[in-house]
Amino acid sequence: MASAAIFSSLRRRSSPSLEAFLAPVDLPNAAVLEVLSAVSRSSFTGKSKKAPFFQGKNSRSLIRKINVISMLLDALIDLGISRIPSTLFLCLKELYLLLYRSKILIDYVNGSSKLWLLLQNHSISGHFHDINQEISTLFDVFPLSEITTLSEDVREQIDLLRKQSRESKLLIDKRDVCSRLKLYYFLNEFENGRIPEMNELYIFFVEKLGICDVKRCRSEIEFLEEQIVNHDGDLEPCASVLNGFVALLRYCRFLLFRFEDGDGDLGKWKRRVKANGLISREIADTFVTIPKDFCCPISLELMHNPVIVSTGQTYDRSSIARWLEEGNSSCPKTGQMLVHMKLVPNRALRNLILQWCVANGIPYDPPENSADACMSAPPSKAAVEATKATAAVLVEELANGTPRAKTVAAWEIRLLAKTGRENRGYIAEAGAIPLLKLLLPSADAFAQENSVTALLNLSIYDKNKSRIMEVEGCLGAIVGVLRNGHTTEARENSAATLFSLSAVHDYKKEIAREDGAVEALAGMLVDGTARGKKDAVTALFNLSTHPENCARMIESGAVRVLVGALEREGIAEEAAGALALIVRQPIGAEAVGKEESAVLGLTGMMRCGTPRGKENAVAALLELCKSGGGAATQRVLKAPAMASLLQSLLFTGTKRARRKAAALARVFQRCENTSLHFWGLGLGYAFARGNAVAAIDTSFTADVSRPLSISVPVL
């Protein structure tokens, strides 16, 4: 009999139960009959009335056969166990497997999208034919002749079933074949640089397939996208072709239904705001329930690029790579020595994380520059042309549509910009950025939020950063949302956009000079949500890397806010890193030195912070001593427990932390009356002179540990 593996293309979210692959060997004979009867009735009764859109003939034929089998089972139950030969029960256990495989196939057809059934038409028809052959084989050996008391009516039905199954042929509906060819015709048109006629698309998708509204169109797109994610590599069509069909459907969604919302996105968004007050509250609640296995053991955050080390443990690539760069050669979780330093992508876990994120509405965009991304199939020409056509339709509506249509177009551009670097480029090339800028000051909260989030997603593509900055007034409009946005999410996403743009060195100074930008980031660092504070502190960190921004950081009050952030978990590391950059300049050292809690905050991080936080803290103190003069050095020298903190870092810190600690110890050695404060640091100084100081440049250049994950979330 054919293995149940023939249904390996089942959707992962509705995997078959274990009973589908195991016969009930432990059940008594009488119970086997009852179980079989229950399975046949619960799974197939009444389903013939609701035939699927495709594979209708095959589905109805199989259900009729199962109903005949169900009638036989009822007759056997009525006869009683004593009148049934024991050899029959071996066949009944095989029948159990057959019924379950039939149930899986019927459920799969009923639960799949129309386009997927069309694309898999030949394969699914083959599965139905296989089951027909199994029914024929089973009843060829079924010992009906030994059951003398079985009614003639039942015998005739089974004989007819056996005959029909034996004579059945592979049934592929010619109309389905024609529809499948028509679908490929549309894709081929895009492949050849031609856009199909709107009337043709309407007749096929709306009138023939019944995809007649936005909701159904989106459902088809989501189903195909799920198949791409779960693609095993041995199915047809290949992933690049499936991407082409997804792009074709997106184009049809906007061309045929224009910008209908149908109480979809806009209605849901308004109800969500009314219920929760703040959109970000729903997002925050979602993140609390991240499964433990999806979090990196090092960063304790959701993994975006999980990899496996030689001990079998899984970590996020950025976190474990940094661990190894620091000179560690052991597994952080188990403490075992690593046999090799190779990082193997954990694709299975990444797919599970992606499915969980999709199910919970959490944005998830694996790194585009990862090795896995390079291995993925490039988009076909058809997908490229269809996406460009979609971008053109969206931008046209953004330019000339009604206010409501523009709002929905901004939402759709936001979603399309999530799906890949190429799409971000096509949208920008179509002219979306200047039009999105016009929606930023909108009184419509939904339009404002989605326009700024669309710009955030577009800015992740490096070429788009310059396009955004070159649009007159766009930077000021983004800062305006940061200062006075209607929703928390809009303000947070504008901060994230500034962070993304500040990745280009030339733009750091321009952003800092924009009226109110640094002040608004500092304000978010004080009053924002956890996510908002993270966006703000990373943006301030980036701006601090430009030496000409120091004065701006001081006059805006950002220095005072960064000092206060040293005591807040989750943002302290970046705050210390930003301060380490600011104090490189004398005016920055003076400003930080005036903050009474600065030294205490940095020494507290040296004591209780993460390895990265300790690096940034000791680097900031070193630069403060270097640029702040004797008074600043004395303040640092007199900090409580400084000697023991330096000793601890000299022996247990990362390579960078050890270098900074040794440099700071040498600074203290040169101070007068050092022995009054550091009489017990002899061992530490010996270590510093013998091991660490030799590696230190005499200029005491302060390497600042940058955040582990400087990736902008795609929202």
Side-chain angles (χ1 to χ4, degrees), residues 300 530 533-534 564-574 610:
L300 303 180
K533 290 177 181 178
K534 191 75 172 178
L566 293 174
E567 300 177 356
R568 297 171 189 161
E569 186 178 357
I571 58 175
E573 295 170 356
E574 288 80 5
T610 63

Side-chain angles (χ1 to χ4, degrees), residues 391 395 398-399 425-436:
V395 171
L398 203 58
Y426 303 148
I427 293 169
E429 290 168 4
I433 292 173
L435 299 172
L436 289 170

Side-chain angles (χ1 to χ4, degrees), residues 361-590:
I362 297 174
Y364 181 80
D365 194 28
E368 294 177 0
N369 58 349
S370 67
D372 294 333
C374 295
M375 294 172 61
S376 62
S380 63
K381 184 181 178 181
V384 169
E385 294 300 325
T387 302
K388 287 182 177 179
T390 301
V393 173
L394 287 168
V395 171
E396 174 65 23
E397 199 68 21
L398 203 58
N400 302 315
T402 64
R404 180 182 177 85
K406 290 180 179 180
T407 298
V408 178
W411 164 270
E412 296 294 350
I413 288 175
R414 166 184 179 171
L415 297 180
L416 185 59
K418 285 175 56 177
T419 56
R421 180 178 55 189
E422 294 83 4
N423 291 355
R424 295 171 192 136
Y426 303 148
I427 293 169
E429 290 168 4
I433 292 173
L435 299 172
L436 289 170
K437 184 211 79 169
L438 298 177
L439 289 179
L440 293 177
S442 173
D444 185 331
F446 187 67
Q448 182 188 74
E449 179 185 311
N450 285 288
S451 58
V452 74
T453 307
L455 287 172
L456 167 60
N457 291 346
L458 292 173
S459 72
I460 298 172
Y461 183 43
D462 287 341
K463 290 184 179 180
N464 286 344
K465 298 184 195 301
S466 60
R467 290 167 174 157
I468 293 172
M469 294 296 290
E470 288 168 2
V471 173
E472 185 178 357
C474 192
L475 177 60
I478 293 170
V479 173
V481 177
L482 176 63
R483 299 175 65 182
N484 303 304
H486 298 304
T487 68
T488 299
E489 188 171 355
R491 294 191 293 273
E492 290 173 348
N493 290 347
S494 62
T497 305
L498 293 181
F499 165 61
S500 176
L501 296 173
S502 66
V504 179
H505 184 74
D506 293 342
Y507 299 152
K508 292 178 169 59
K509 184 176 179 181
E510 190 174 345
I511 293 171
R513 285 183 172 180
E514 186 66 34
D515 185 34
V518 180
E519 289 86 349
L521 288 172
M524 181 171 286
L525 191 54
V526 175
D527 302 322
T529 64
R531 178 192 155 206
K533 290 177 181 178
K534 191 75 172 178
D535 290 335
V537 75
T538 49
L540 289 172
F541 177 92
N542 253 16
L543 296 179
S544 300
T545 61
H546 197 296
E548 295 184 31
N549 286 343
C550 183
R552 186 76 182 88
M553 300 289 283
I554 295 170
E555 68 183 31
S556 66
V559 169
R560 181 176 63 258
V561 172
L562 288 168
V563 170
L566 293 174
E567 300 177 356
R568 297 171 189 161
E569 186 178 357
I571 58 175
E573 295 170 356
E574 288 80 5
L579 290 172
L581 295 166
I582 291 171
V583 297
R584 286 180 175 180
Q585 300 186 46
I587 58 171
E590 181 183 358

